[in-house]
Amino acid sequence: MTIETREIEHIASLAHLDVNGAGFERLAQDMQEIVAMVNQLQQLDLDLTADTLDINHKNAFREDIAVLEYTPDQLIAPNAPDFRAGGVVVPRVVE
Amino acid sequence: MELYKKTASELSGLLQKKEISSVELTKDILARTESVEKKVQGYITLTAEDALKSAAVVDSKRAAGENLGALAGIPVAIKDNICTKGTLTTCASKMLFNFIPPYHATVIEKLLAQNVILTGKTNMDEFAMGSSCENSAMHPTYNPHDLNCVPGGSSGGSAAVVAAGEVPLSLGSDTGGSIRQPAAFCGVVGLKPTYGAVSRYGLVAFASSLDQIGPFGRTVEDTAMLFDAITGHDPHHDSTSIKTSFEGQTHANLNSDMRGIKIGLPKEYFGEGISAEVRKHVLAASTSIKTSFEGQTHANLNSDMRGIKIGLPKEYFGEGISAEVRKHVLAAADMYRAMGAEILEISLPLSEYALPVYYILSSAEASSNLARFDGVKYGYRSPNFDRHDLTIRRREIRLSLSEFRST
């Protein structure tokens, strides 16, 4: 399975990745190799594999109880790039 | 006395008998760090002053007759993706160049409760993605055994500082080999615990269903001591943490009879692509298996392996394994046979599919987990922020697919 150049460009655009220029060839090559490697899984005959899931294993569930451990002032303010009036200030995204 | 050469177990005994103080010990390992760190570069942040202060506090507790744990007063270094309240935690990324966690990871709370001395934060591949410590945005770390070699990764800093005698113990994290591989490269002991055995609370997530925090030491015994200190169910902070039957008992069990225990050596792991560097470190490891058990108080570890079965998976000895690696692994197997273990050939036919599955899971989880590093609530915010153009920041995070190579 090979990926077309335009598919890579499309994926890059969706991911907002700037892959133009010198790095493109290397990235395209790496993507081809990764997809080829993952594609090996298609060869696997699942009828030949044993079920190794531990059916007796219980998932860990608990009540979702909210606990106030920190206030935004303690938890967020010290590291926020811009914090005012109890909130994080972000760049304007709407005209 | 060159305290930095001693194991945590030996130091624990000396501290408890008050033959040395924690301040003495901490000064000694800091002096060692001072003399070798320029070459090794295992740390991102060294907290020498805080370490000495904590050591003085532990010494006064001991002098006051307080009942302290086995690791009290012993220095431990922490990988820089484990949150330490008040101490820079960067994940070796410029995205978190100024991030100071407002809380401790559960493992740090546990270590502090045991009066461990934290020496600082160790280097790693950025966001724990990499296998060489060259993908740190800060600086590379070098292998103390040979500065021309990498220490492995992503927990390369934690492995290197232990191997270099800068600290007797350290914590790393392992998603797809990030403790086990650097431990092998640096000739130290590293453990990726059973998933759930150690709380992930406060570990910056890479692939949440695979991440585990684990210990490094220079001997199995030391590594077991540190593992006992960090393991345990953490019901309120990590829903994937579990109660285990071995909680806190690993070190104690080192003493006991190992008859009936089976050890598998998967043949697939010794296949194609094993390098000369790996070969060198496998050789070093097979030697250290012998030496780390010799002269220990737990002499039983060395002598009796009757009833233990060791599997050699045939797939790992197939095409591509170097003659030297095969020779040394089989020599190690012979050593265990001489101790009474039974060596069996086994088969793990699905191993070749493990890496593709790992890539699918870890990439998907990483893409979800790392979406939070957008510079909104913390970390680096690009001055060139443009709502249409996340490209600049993405480029700065240096997380192109081409750099995303296993681990």
Side-chain angles (χ1 to χ4, degrees):
Chain A
M1 180 180 167
T2 53
I3 316 171
E4 304 278 335
T5 301
R6 60 183 171 80
E7 287 178 297
I8 296 176
E9 285 166 350
H10 182 58
I11 291 166
S13 145
L14 289 174
H16 301 285
L17 283 168
D18 176 14
V19 295
N20 295 313
F24 185 82
E25 282 304 316
R26 188 183 151 203
L27 179 69
Q29 181 63 33
D30 279 349
M31 275 187 79
Q32 300 287 10
E33 284 173 14
I34 290 167
V35 170
M37 185 186 70
V38 167
N39 212 32
Q40 286 174 47
L41 291 175
Q42 301 295 341
Q43 301 157 11
L44 190 56
D45 183 354
L46 292 176
D47 292 336
L48 299 177
T49 63
D51 181 3
T52 52
L53 189 68
D54 179 3
I55 54 165
N56 295 315
H57 182 73
K58 294 273 193 302
N59 224 332
F61 291 112
R62 64 173 167 84
E63 290 300 312
D64 188 12
I65 304 163
V67 180
L68 185 67
E69 286 190 76
Y70 308 94
T71 65
D73 274 337
Q74 294 168 324
L75 195 66
I76 301 171
N79 280 296
D82 196 352
F83 188 90
R84 283 177 234 160
V88 176
V89 181
V90 296
R92 177 186 290 272
V93 292
V94 180
E95 294 290 341
Chain B
M1 197 167 3
E2 287 174 320
L3 294 176
Y4 73 84
K5 288 184 174 171
K6 296 198 177 296
T7 66
S9 167
E10 290 166 340
L11 293 168
S12 175
L14 291 170
L15 286 164
Q16 285 176 49
K17 283 182 271 174
K18 297 183 186 169
E19 287 177 21
I20 60 167
S21 71
S22 180
V23 168
E24 251 178 282
L25 167 59
T26 305
K27 278 184 178 163
D28 191 77
I29 63 116
L30 288 174
R32 171 68 178 172
T33 300
E34 173 80 33
S35 69
V36 299
E37 177 62 7
K38 277 200 183 85
K39 294 178 193 162
V40 177
Q41 296 185 37
Y43 280 103
I44 289 176
T45 305
L46 189 66
T47 54
E49 266 181 47
D50 288 346
L52 285 168
K53 276 184 210 159
S54 312
V57 171
V58 177
D59 284 340
S60 58
K61 283 184 184 177
R62 202 183 299 278
E66 276 191 43
N67 193 15
L68 301 172
L71 289 178
I74 293 182
V76 179
I78 309 294
K79 187 177 181 180
D80 209 23
N81 62 348
I82 298 171
C83 286
T84 41
K85 184 177 180 177
T87 301
L88 205 58
T89 300
T90 69
C91 292
S93 175
K94 294 202 169 155
M95 283 304 297
L96 293 176
F97 76 105
N98 62 353
F99 181 67
I100 296 178
Y103 57 85
H104 283 309
T106 296
V107 292
I108 301 298
E109 295 282 9
K110 281 175 168 285
L111 291 183
L112 292 176
Q114 303 216 17
N115 295 289
V116 159
I117 310 301
L118 304 181
T119 56
K121 307 300 289 289
T122 58
N123 199 20
M124 54 187 280
D125 290 298
E126 186 169 11
F127 289 116
M129 295 175 193
S131 308
S132 67
C133 242
E134 296 163 304
N135 297 309
S136 164
M138 309 310 175
H139 52 75
T141 292
Y142 300 93
N143 192 315
H145 293 287
D146 181 344
L147 297 173
N148 293 313
C149 292
V150 299
S154 64
S155 311
S158 293
V161 293
V162 169
E166 296 184 56
V167 73
L169 296 167
S170 67
L171 289 185
S173 68
D174 189 319
T175 304
S178 279
I179 290 173
R180 294 160 288 170
Q181 185 255 31
F185 279 25
C186 290
V188 296
V189 181
L191 175 72
K192 180 182 190 183
T194 299
Y195 187 79
V198 179
S199 171
R200 293 183 296 109
Y201 180 69
L203 171 67
V204 177
F206 161 13
S208 313
S209 75
L210 301 164
D211 297 341
Q212 271 291 280
I213 296 170
F216 287 96
R218 288 194 288 268
T219 65
V220 170
E221 184 179 18
D222 284 8
T223 310
M225 285 170 77
L226 185 55
F227 176 55
D228 282 345
I230 59 170
T231 189
H233 191 208
D234 187 16
H236 299 298
H237 284 136
D238 179 0
S239 65
T240 64
S241 89
I242 51 171
K243 283 180 189 146
T244 61
S245 57
F246 49 80
E247 190 171 315
Q249 297 303 312
T250 309
H251 181 234
N253 283 335
L254 282 180
N255 252 329
S256 66
D257 200 339
M258 282 180 71
R259 274 174 287 192
I261 293 173
K262 296 180 187 178
I263 300 175
L265 293 183
K267 65 190 172 189
E268 289 87 350
Y269 298 178
F270 297 90
E272 207 175 324
I274 202 158
S275 79
E277 292 309 300
V278 174
R279 180 194 313 151
K280 178 177 155 190
H281 289 291
V282 170
L283 171 59
S286 70
T287 313
S288 75
I289 286 169
K290 200 174 169 190
T291 55
S292 70
F293 285 80
E294 274 171 5
Q296 298 291 314
T297 45
H298 311 313
N300 284 343
L301 280 178
N302 207 5
S303 56
D304 192 358
M305 287 187 71
R306 277 174 295 179
I308 294 173
K309 292 181 183 174
I310 298 179
L312 296 178
K314 62 182 180 198
E315 288 86 353
Y316 298 177
F317 292 90
E319 202 180 328
I321 188 172
S322 85
E324 205 174 345
V325 170
R326 184 202 304 267
K327 183 178 140 196
H328 287 292
V329 173
L330 293 178
D334 281 341
M335 205 165 77
Y336 286 123
R337 189 184 282 120
M339 293 177 200
E342 188 183 347
I343 309 295
L344 302 167
E345 184 180 273
I346 60 170
S347 177
L348 296 174
L350 295 177
S351 290
E352 66 176 300
Y353 300 106
L355 200 56
V357 170
Y358 172 77
Y359 255 84
I360 293 170
L361 296 179
S362 63
S363 307
E365 293 184 26
S367 116
S368 174
N369 277 326
L370 270 65
R372 72 191 60 160
F373 300 112
D374 54 8
V376 171
K377 292 192 290 294
Y378 44 77
Y380 178 71
R381 182 184 286 181
S382 170
N384 303 318
F385 184 90
D386 179 323
R387 69 186 180 282
H388 295 305
D389 184 15
L390 290 166
T391 306
I392 294 160
R393 276 202 321 240
R394 301 261 177 168
R395 199 158 47 206
E396 280 158 352
I397 204 170
R398 298 172 20 150
L399 203 66
S400 69
L401 270 175
S402 57
E403 280 166 5
F404 180 49
R405 296 177 186 285
S406 80
T407 308

